[in-house]
Amino acid sequence: MPKIQTNGLGLWYGGFHALKNVNAGFEANKITAIIGPSGCGKSTLLRVFNRMNDLIEGVRIEGDVLIDGSNIFDMRTDLVTLREKVGMVFQRPNPFPLSIYENIVFGVRVHNGRVKRDKLDEAVEQSLKSVLLWDELKDRLDKPALRLSLEQKQRLCIARLIAVRPDVLLMDEPCSTLDPQATARIEELMRELKASYTIIIVTHNMQQAARVSDDTGFMLLGELIEFGRTEAIFTAPRDKRTEDYITGRYG
Amino acid sequence: MRNPHRTQKIAFFLLLLATLLIVVPVGLIVVIIIQKGLPGISWQFLSDIPRQGMRAGGIFPAIVGTVYLVTGAIVFALPIGLLAAIYLSEYSKDNFLTRLIKLAIVNLAGVPSVVYGLFGLALFVVFFKLGASILAGSLTLGIMILPIIITSSREALESVPYTFREVSLSLGASKWQTIRHIVLPNAIPGVLTGTILGLGRAAGETAPILFTVAAFYLPFLPKSVFDQAMALPYHLYVISTQVPNVDEKIRYGTAFVLLALVLFMNLVAIIIRYQFRKKKKW
């Protein structure tokens, strides 16, 4: 059974039909890329999975999204628990204007209330190690996170998320502000992380999707046109529109 | 075509002139008050009660009264104003009620201060039977500075980047946790700016305290918040218009102390704000 399954998922922003009948299964311990031109609904789809669209007024959703078999739109779903399980990395690295340490322990504190200092230290060390920042930053954990480089900031944001111990990492164009070297290193990190997480990445960058993902979905105007193994999508797309997009005939 | 260099110069000159026009009166007020007031300042002037029908002695009770009133006003207005600002900027939806509340706040800011005085007299002094007292005066001043505090706090809260809230919520924080731990700490400098403005206003106003607390002459210190008190602005008014033959030194000395007190309180708030700003930068 896939980790995340959508059944007939539709979404409206007021009168705008942003997602149309999306049916897809996202496997655990794999990286699934969602590609498509701007405004095709790929970020919207990503934001369905941790219900960030709830923040926007006038959003209406139909269909089901099952995570581990339970519907996240169920009245009993607790948003806090859902977001503890399904975390998000944003397009722009967005650490809080706090120290490196405080950034990482924020989520830990939110979910566990008062936590002993040594537990926090441990969480900071583990999460920084898992994003390969520990050696660089261990001597300046009390320094403001905003002074880090863009790449370090984005890694820190991933570490902040990992500290909450989610199952699913949603990444919304996580490399779009990074240079090619930094992008390559973040992609490397994603490959390491997929052993422990279900990763869904939205990207503009087809090469990136081809490089890192196991499965790929191509979206156009709110529809999931094609979904399958990445090699299949890129080498033998079944749909003409997918082929047009990956061969560069859309913007 | 006009010469762009010349129009540029004219524009620059006009802008500079307008700026100087603001600076000059402020500078003049400060210079005149210091020049005429400073000779009247002595330890005795600051620490003694007024004597000989306020023509001699000091202004200690008025200083203490003003400090009490300003403190009281802030104690009432800051928590209420901040909570209202949080409601308005974080929770309220744009509907009729919200618009009504915002309109009321704008109007509250435009009410002449003497009307606050009468309102305070009717509500706190008479209706709640607090009498002319520090409590009644503080409440009246507090209501007067509420719109300043609400407006600036709201602006401060709204200027905290939306992405901070988004990230916090995406990490599973509740709305209140997000506000409490992410939004509020980053809004504190702006909130303090509002508090500074309110503080200066509360310290300087005469009309709101006229009927609610201010004593014409009270040669001892208030013992509780239910006592009347002297206050610097009202004392200044009294010795300038109601008591004949008061030495200029005493009048300008009083004005000097009032000015210095407000500046000092502002300074404290500015230092606190600076400390916060230094920590938070984005």
Side-chain angles (χ1 to χ4, degrees):
Chain A
M1 190 179 68
K3 181 79 179 171
I4 303 179
Q5 176 71 48
T6 72
N7 296 324
L9 176 67
L11 184 145
W12 284 261
Y13 292 123
F16 176 64
H17 201 170
L19 292 178
K20 297 168 189 162
N21 190 27
V22 174
N23 296 292
F26 299 83
E27 300 287 340
N29 306 113
K30 281 191 179 172
I31 299 177
T32 307
I34 305 171
I35 58 171
S38 300
C40 69
K42 51 192 194 304
S43 288
T44 304
L45 177 61
L46 200 66
R47 281 159 179 263
V48 167
F49 300 142
N50 64 347
R51 288 185 53 185
M52 287 301 276
N53 291 315
D54 288 20
L55 299 176
I56 304 163
E57 271 179 67
V59 166
R60 195 157 55 79
I61 295 174
E62 62 171 28
D64 297 335
V65 173
L66 305 175
I67 298 185
D68 292 329
S70 54
N71 187 3
I72 61 167
F73 303 123
D74 199 309
M75 292 300 281
R76 282 166 303 175
T77 300
D78 177 29
L79 269 187
V80 170
T81 321
L82 173 67
R83 289 176 182 160
E84 190 176 2
K85 191 151 123 181
V86 184
M88 185 166 225
V89 177
F90 294 80
Q91 194 168 351
R92 295 191 66 81
N94 48 12
F96 296 123
L98 301 167
S99 69
I100 295 164
Y101 189 93
E102 287 297 320
N103 260 283
I104 297 175
V105 300
F106 177 78
V108 183
R109 287 213 180 105
V110 157
H111 292 288
N112 304 298
R114 278 189 179 279
V115 184
K116 286 220 180 75
R117 183 80 190 186
D118 52 332
K119 286 269 181 215
L120 292 178
D121 290 345
E122 200 184 306
V124 169
E125 182 171 345
Q126 275 182 2
S127 350
L128 282 178
K129 274 183 177 159
S130 58
V131 298
L132 313 173
L133 270 182
W134 175 249
D135 292 328
E136 275 169 75
L137 298 184
K138 64 181 175 204
D139 299 322
R140 46 191 180 119
L141 295 174
D142 56 336
K143 294 283 182 301
L146 296 182
R147 292 218 198 112
L148 298 174
S149 73
L150 269 178
E151 185 195 347
Q152 287 174 323
K153 280 184 193 166
Q154 195 62 302
R155 280 174 187 268
L156 178 67
C157 291
I158 299 173
R160 175 176 64 185
L161 184 54
I162 285 174
V164 178
R165 301 178 176 279
D167 294 349
V168 181
L169 304 183
L170 307 173
M171 300 188 160
D172 191 355
E173 302 194 34
C175 302
S176 64
T177 58
L178 304 180
D179 63 50
Q181 286 83 26
T183 301
R185 288 190 293 266
I186 296 279
E187 286 173 7
E188 188 51 46
L189 174 63
M190 289 171 62
R191 282 189 208 98
E192 280 183 34
L193 292 176
K194 86 173 176 186
S196 335
Y197 304 94
T198 306
I199 300 179
I200 305 175
I201 177 174
V202 157
T203 178
H204 251 108
N205 181 334
M206 274 178 286
Q207 287 76 27
Q208 181 170 54
R211 280 192 305 261
V212 297
S213 68
D214 303 293
D215 291 338
T216 296
F218 168 63
M219 290 186 70
L220 190 65
L221 301 171
E223 273 179 271
L224 185 63
I225 305 290
E226 196 165 342
F227 188 91
R229 302 285 306 157
T230 300
E231 309 92 77
I233 297 274
F234 280 92
T235 54
R238 273 170 286 134
D239 196 291
K240 179 81 173 62
R241 290 166 292 181
T242 314
E243 191 184 339
D244 285 349
Y245 182 72
I246 58 175
T247 52
R249 253 167 270 176
Y250 291 99
Chain B
M1 272 294 270
R2 292 216 184 118
N3 181 350
H5 289 291
R6 222 175 108 195
T7 45
Q8 157 109 335
K9 269 189 184 151
I10 293 170
F12 174 76
F13 176 75
L14 284 175
L15 296 173
L16 183 69
L17 192 71
T19 313
L20 286 179
L21 278 177
I22 301 162
V23 174
V24 167
V26 175
L28 275 179
I29 290 171
V30 171
V31 167
I32 290 172
I33 300 235
I34 290 178
Q35 199 183 27
K36 295 196 174 180
L38 204 54
I41 305 295
S42 64
W43 178 242
Q44 194 222 359
F45 184 70
L46 295 175
S47 62
D48 199 6
I49 56 164
R51 292 173 196 282
Q52 297 171 24
M54 293 184 264
R55 290 182 190 86
I59 54 167
F60 186 58
I63 297 176
V64 172
T66 288
V67 170
Y68 282 170
L69 286 173
V70 170
T71 311
I74 294 289
V75 165
F76 289 122
L78 185 56
I80 295 175
L82 186 56
L83 293 177
I86 292 174
Y87 172 75
L88 287 172
S89 89
E90 306 294 324
Y91 286 96
S92 71
K93 296 203 165 66
D94 187 28
N95 55 26
F96 178 71
L97 178 70
T98 312
R99 280 198 290 272
L100 196 71
I101 294 172
K102 287 181 179 164
L103 188 71
I105 293 166
V106 173
N107 283 325
L108 206 57
V111 172
S113 58
V114 67
V115 177
Y116 282 107
L118 280 171
F119 172 76
L121 174 69
L123 187 70
F124 301 125
V125 178
V126 178
F127 184 75
F128 284 126
K129 299 193 171 62
L130 295 175
S133 63
I134 293 177
L135 190 59
S138 296
L139 286 167
T140 310
L141 287 171
I143 290 178
M144 185 186 72
I145 62 173
L146 257 182
I148 303 173
I149 290 181
I150 293 176
T151 309
S152 58
S153 301
R154 237 183 73 206
E155 279 166 10
L157 292 166
E158 279 163 10
S159 74
V160 175
Y162 180 71
T163 56
F164 289 178
R165 292 163 229 249
E166 205 176 37
V167 182
S168 173
L169 292 169
S170 83
L171 286 168
S174 68
K175 185 156 190 170
W176 173 245
Q177 284 174 320
T178 300
I179 293 170
R180 167 72 190 76
H181 297 289
I182 299 297
V183 180
L184 213 49
N186 287 299
I188 281 180
V191 174
L192 285 175
T193 306
T195 311
I196 294 171
L197 292 172
L199 207 133
R201 179 109 198 265
E205 281 289 347
T206 313
I209 56 173
L210 198 56
F211 320 115
T212 53
V213 51
F216 186 80
Y217 175 63
L218 201 68
F220 46 82
L221 297 181
K223 287 182 190 63
S224 80
V225 291
F226 298 105
D227 287 344
Q228 272 194 291
M230 294 183 79
L232 283 170
Y234 182 62
H235 182 64
L236 185 59
Y237 164 74
V238 166
I239 57 177
S240 305
T241 60
Q242 308 294 303
V243 183
N245 307 323
V246 177
D247 191 352
E248 196 184 67
K249 263 194 338 195
I250 290 183
R251 283 187 278 136
Y252 278 94
T254 306
F256 179 84
V257 171
L258 179 56
L259 205 65
L261 197 69
V262 172
L263 284 179
F264 173 74
M265 290 194 243
N266 284 359
L267 196 69
V268 172
I270 287 168
I271 290 169
I272 299 172
R273 187 173 63 177
Y274 176 74
Q275 292 300 331
F276 272 104
R277 277 215 181 131
K278 216 167 51 175
K279 272 200 295 190
K280 324 270 175 192
K281 276 245 163 9
W282 65 81

